[in-house]
Amino acid sequence: MTIGKRKKEKPQSNAVAVPQTADKKHPFVMLDGYNPMSTADMALYKSLREAIPIIDAAIYKIIRLIGSFRVCCENKTAEKLLGDFLASVNVGGTGQGIEAFLSVFLEQLLTYGTAIGEAVTDGNTITHLYNADLRDISLSRGSSALDIVVNTDKGNGRFTPVKYPALILLSVLNPEPGAIYGTSILKGLPFVTDILLKIYNTLGTNWERVGNVRFAVTYKPQNDAIDKAYAKERAMLVASEWSKAMSTGSGAAKDFVAVGDVSIKAIGADNQILDSEIPVRQMLEQIVAKLGIPPFLLGLSWSTTERMSSQQADILTSEIEYYRRALNPVISKLCRLFLRLHGFDCDFEIDWEAITLQDISELAKSRYYDAQTQKIIAETGGEITNDSLS
C-alpha cells in the first residue's frame, strides 16, 4: 500500500505491506512548496527546541514521565496475544514496542499539536507501526464537518486521500473551535524566546569583546621635528614590537619596552556588562509556566519550599494524566484493530502505571491516614467526632 508508483502486479489479495504515509517526494524539494499545514510554524517550533535547550529538555521530561501501561482483556488468551504484540511490534524499522511508537507520537503531538501514525498490516496482522512526517500529510474536511480526511503528498503539491483510513492513528492537542489541526504547547513562546536569545547572543558578544582583552596602543610624538618626521615609522615599530610581545606562540610571556609617550589601554575596560540574571529568569519563568514542568526537574535552583515542590509535583501529575487521556484513543484504536484481525471481539481496559512523583514516605503516610480514617468510620458507624479522632 504505497502512495507512489509501483509495478503492476496480479491482484492476489488485499495485503498491506508498506506504510501509505511514507515520504515519496522527488529530490527537488523546492518545487514542493505548497502544504496546507503551516510548515512555517513547524520549522519555528523545531527551531525553538534547538535554540533553547530547556524547552527540549522539558518535552523529553514529559515523555519519560508518561510511564508505561498494560492492556487487560476479559479473554486471557487475547490479553496474552495483545501483550506480546505491544511489547515486540516493530516501529519504523528502528524501534521495538508500543512505547517506542508512543514516544515519537507524543513528541510530535506536544511540539506541533498534531501527531499521526499508521498501523501497517499484511492482511492478517499488524506487521509494524510507522510514525509519519507531518510535512508529508495534510488534513481536510470530508463530506461532513465531523469527517476528517487524511491526505498524503503525491509530489508537486498534489495531496490525495489515503487508501486505508482505518489504519491511520491521528491525534490533535487542544484544537481551536472549528480547526482541524491541534495547538502546540510551544504556542506563545516565540516572542519570549526571541528576547532570551537576544540576551544570550549579547552576552556572548560582550564576553568575546571584554573577556578576550584587546588593547589600544597609542604613540604620541613629541614637539621636536625629528619625532614628527619619523612618527609613522616609529608607530609601525611600536606596533610590531607590541605584536611580538603579545604573541603566545613561544608559550612564554614577553615584556614590551617603548621610548617616548606611549599609552596602553584595554578596550572596553571601562564598560560594565549588564546583569542578565533577572531578565533571563523572567523569560525562563514564562517558558516553565507554559510547559507545566516544575523548575527543579529542569535543574533550575530557584528558591522554593518543600511544600511548594510538593504542590508543583501534584500539578505535574495532573498534566501527565491529561496527556495520558490524549493517548488513550490512539492506543484503544490500535488494540481494537489488532484484536479484530485475530478474531477477538472482547472488551479491554488500558491500565497505566501509578504516577510516583511524591516522596515514598509521604505516600506511605497518606495511605496510613486513609486506613486510620476507614477504621474510625467502621468503629463509629460512619460518624467521625472529635472524641474518635483523639
Side-chain angles (χ1 to χ4, degrees):
M1 179 175 53
T2 63
I3 64 172
K5 296 181 179 179
R6 63 178 178 181
K7 296 181 179 179
K8 294 183 178 180
E9 299 176 354
K10 295 182 179 180
Q12 297 178 352
S13 65
N14 294 327
V16 180
V18 295
Q20 56 190 334
T21 53
D23 184 7
K24 295 293 183 181
K25 294 187 293 187
H26 57 73
F28 303 100
V29 294
M30 295 302 294
L31 300 178
D32 295 334
Y34 173 77
N35 195 326
M37 182 176 292
S38 179
T39 54
D41 289 345
M42 293 174 58
L44 175 62
Y45 293 144
K46 184 177 180 180
S47 298
L48 288 181
R49 293 185 57 177
E50 294 178 354
I52 308 297
I54 198 171
I55 296 178
D56 195 56
I59 291 179
Y60 281 121
K61 282 286 192 304
I62 294 175
I63 295 173
R64 295 189 183 100
L65 290 173
I66 286 296
S68 59
F69 65 92
R70 59 187 296 265
V71 180
C72 303
C73 302
E74 296 177 350
N75 189 321
K76 296 304 177 183
T77 302
E79 180 177 332
K80 176 65 168 57
L81 190 64
L82 181 59
D84 293 341
F85 161 73
L86 295 176
S88 60
V89 61
N90 186 290
V91 180
T94 58
Q96 184 176 5
I98 185 64
E99 293 184 4
F101 172 78
L102 290 179
S103 295
V104 180
F105 191 88
L106 182 58
E107 180 183 358
Q108 196 178 55
L109 185 65
L110 296 176
T111 305
Y112 307 115
T114 304
I116 189 168
E118 183 179 353
V120 183
T121 74
D122 58 3
N124 298 317
T125 187
I126 299 177
T127 57
H128 66 275
L129 302 176
Y130 175 75
N131 293 101
D133 192 338
L134 291 177
R135 294 172 297 182
D136 300 328
I137 63 99
S138 69
L139 305 180
S140 61
R141 296 288 183 187
S143 57
S144 67
L146 301 179
D147 186 18
I148 305 299
V149 178
V150 178
N151 305 283
T152 184
D153 190 359
K154 301 293 286 188
N156 297 325
R158 296 183 297 108
F159 287 84
T160 58
V162 295
K163 190 175 182 181
Y164 302 96
L167 301 179
I168 298 299
L169 305 172
L170 174 66
S171 181
V172 294
L173 183 68
N174 299 328
E176 296 181 357
I180 302 178
Y181 298 97
T183 304
S184 169
I185 64 171
L186 305 182
K187 183 179 180 180
L189 292 184
F191 174 74
V192 175
T193 53
D194 181 54
I195 297 176
L196 191 59
L197 288 176
K198 288 180 180 178
I199 296 175
Y200 287 159
N201 185 63
T202 305
L203 282 176
T205 303
N206 288 339
W207 276 102
E208 184 178 1
R209 293 173 177 172
V210 180
N212 186 9
V213 184
R214 292 174 173 83
F215 297 92
V217 181
T218 306
Y219 168 68
K220 298 180 181 179
Q222 301 297 324
N223 293 327
D224 56 87
I226 298 178
D227 281 348
K228 292 182 179 180
Y230 294 96
K232 181 178 180 180
E233 288 77 4
R234 292 181 178 180
M236 295 178 63
L237 180 61
V238 169
S240 176
E241 294 300 322
W242 176 258
S243 178
K244 293 179 181 179
M246 297 302 295
S247 176
T248 59
S250 61
K254 300 178 182 179
D255 296 328
F256 172 72
V257 180
V259 178
D261 189 359
V262 178
S263 62
I264 301 174
K265 292 183 179 180
I267 299 176
D270 298 334
N271 294 332
Q272 181 180 2
I273 299 179
L274 296 177
D275 185 10
S276 61
E277 181 177 358
I278 294 179
V280 167
R281 174 166 175 173
Q282 289 177 344
M283 298 301 103
L284 291 178
E285 286 175 348
Q286 298 294 321
I287 294 175
V288 170
K290 189 69 171 64
L291 298 176
I293 296 293
F296 61 86
L297 288 181
L298 299 173
L300 300 175
S301 57
W302 294 341
S303 59
T304 181
T305 62
E306 182 179 355
R307 182 175 180 82
M308 184 182 299
S309 299
S310 177
Q311 292 174 347
Q312 291 174 345
D314 290 338
I315 295 174
L316 180 59
T317 300
S318 64
E319 293 283 336
I320 295 174
E321 291 176 347
Y322 173 76
Y323 293 131
R324 285 180 172 182
R325 291 194 297 269
L327 292 176
N328 279 341
V330 175
I331 301 173
S332 298
K333 183 176 181 179
L334 178 63
C335 294
R336 190 174 296 107
L337 176 62
F338 178 82
L339 292 175
R340 297 299 184 270
L341 287 174
H342 287 79
F344 294 100
D345 193 21
C346 56
D347 293 331
F348 58 87
E349 182 180 354
I350 302 173
D351 183 20
W352 289 91
E353 66 178 6
I355 303 174
T356 55
L357 296 177
Q358 297 288 353
D359 188 11
I360 296 179
S361 62
E362 293 295 328
L363 292 175
K365 187 184 296 184
S366 176
R367 289 194 294 267
Y368 171 74
Y369 289 153
D370 288 340
Q372 193 176 36
T373 302
Q374 295 299 326
K375 180 181 178 182
I376 295 174
I377 292 175
E379 293 176 350
T380 59
E383 297 182 359
I384 300 179
T385 62
N386 293 331
D387 294 336
S388 61
L389 291 176
S390 60

